[in-house]
Amino acid sequence: MDHRNDRETPRVRTSTQSSQPIRLAGSVLGAQRHVCAFFHSPEEGYSVLLPFIREGFERGEKAFHIVDPNLRAEHTMRLASAGIDVEAAAKNGQFELLNWADAYLRDGHFDQDRMLALIQEVLDAGIQQGFALTRLVAQMEWALEDRPGVDDLVEYEARLNYLLPRYKDAVI
């Protein structure tokens, strides 16, 4: 008999779980679940994203976030203020948090091929770990800076739109 507590128990992917509606900003996401959202302030962004993020945690879905390294502590604090046990979720594999440098800007520049491979790897890993869905939330303010490769961002987003229909996961 398995004596692990519920937080350590692997999730089982079921069609019922993955077919539940996913809500964002008062709307239900359809089959296309790639959303580019622009916010006037961090407060506005979190007021929209926290209910979406919390819903995923409550359903036992995987959460994968990419944030500004300078705002990492603030991000985890905001998640905690929404009632999310960040430490427990990270320990049991439900929550992963990367900095821009570990995702978009590895080796100091944006490489769309490498980023597309990372997105695919993350979404495939969620399935392999037994999560019904992955909710990927990425802050991309780095794209406003003069960074090598930033000119490839529009092409990357277009290519991402061809990759994501293979998955039922939400990417914001």
Side-chain angles (χ1 to χ4, degrees):
M1 182 183 280
D2 191 344
H3 294 287
R4 294 179 292 181
N5 68 34
D6 287 346
R7 290 191 172 153
E8 295 174 340
T9 303
R11 282 109 186 118
V12 177
R13 187 178 184 98
T14 68
S15 60
T16 302
Q17 288 173 316
S18 64
S19 65
Q20 291 180 351
I22 297 176
R23 292 172 188 81
L24 177 69
S27 297
V28 173
L29 299 181
Q32 302 301 320
R33 296 178 175 173
H34 178 207
V35 176
C36 181
F38 294 90
F39 302 109
H40 294 286
S41 68
E43 289 71 27
E44 181 184 40
Y46 280 104
S47 72
V48 170
L49 293 174
L50 279 176
F52 166 82
I53 293 168
R54 187 175 48 246
E55 178 184 77
F57 274 98
E58 290 169 354
R59 291 182 184 178
E61 297 168 355
K62 176 92 176 184
F64 188 91
H65 298 179
I66 304 170
V67 300
D68 179 339
N70 297 319
L71 301 176
R72 185 181 179 102
E74 179 183 346
H75 185 73
T76 57
M77 180 191 71
R78 288 190 186 251
L79 296 179
S81 74
I84 297 165
D85 187 341
V86 175
E87 188 175 319
K91 279 184 183 176
N92 72 22
Q94 184 182 14
F95 178 57
E96 289 185 54
L97 179 61
L98 292 186
N99 296 330
W100 292 340
D102 300 324
Y104 289 107
L105 302 173
R106 286 185 271 175
D107 300 325
H109 70 280
F110 176 67
D111 179 317
Q112 62 176 307
D113 293 322
R114 187 169 46 196
M115 192 60 204
L116 288 165
L118 175 65
I119 297 290
Q120 190 167 353
E121 178 183 309
V122 166
L123 299 180
D124 287 340
I127 293 166
Q128 291 165 1
Q129 293 168 328
F131 291 98
L133 291 172
T134 296
R135 294 186 186 216
L136 193 151
V137 174
Q139 297 174 352
M140 295 182 61
E141 289 86 347
W142 62 268
L144 299 172
E145 300 172 5
D146 185 21
R147 301 270 190 156
V150 75
D151 292 338
D152 296 332
L153 192 57
V154 172
E155 182 179 342
Y156 159 77
E157 290 290 338
R159 291 177 63 197
L160 190 56
N161 283 332
Y162 288 102
L163 170 71
L164 292 177
R166 299 181 205 162
Y167 301 91
K168 294 184 184 215
D169 308 288
V171 176
I172 312 297

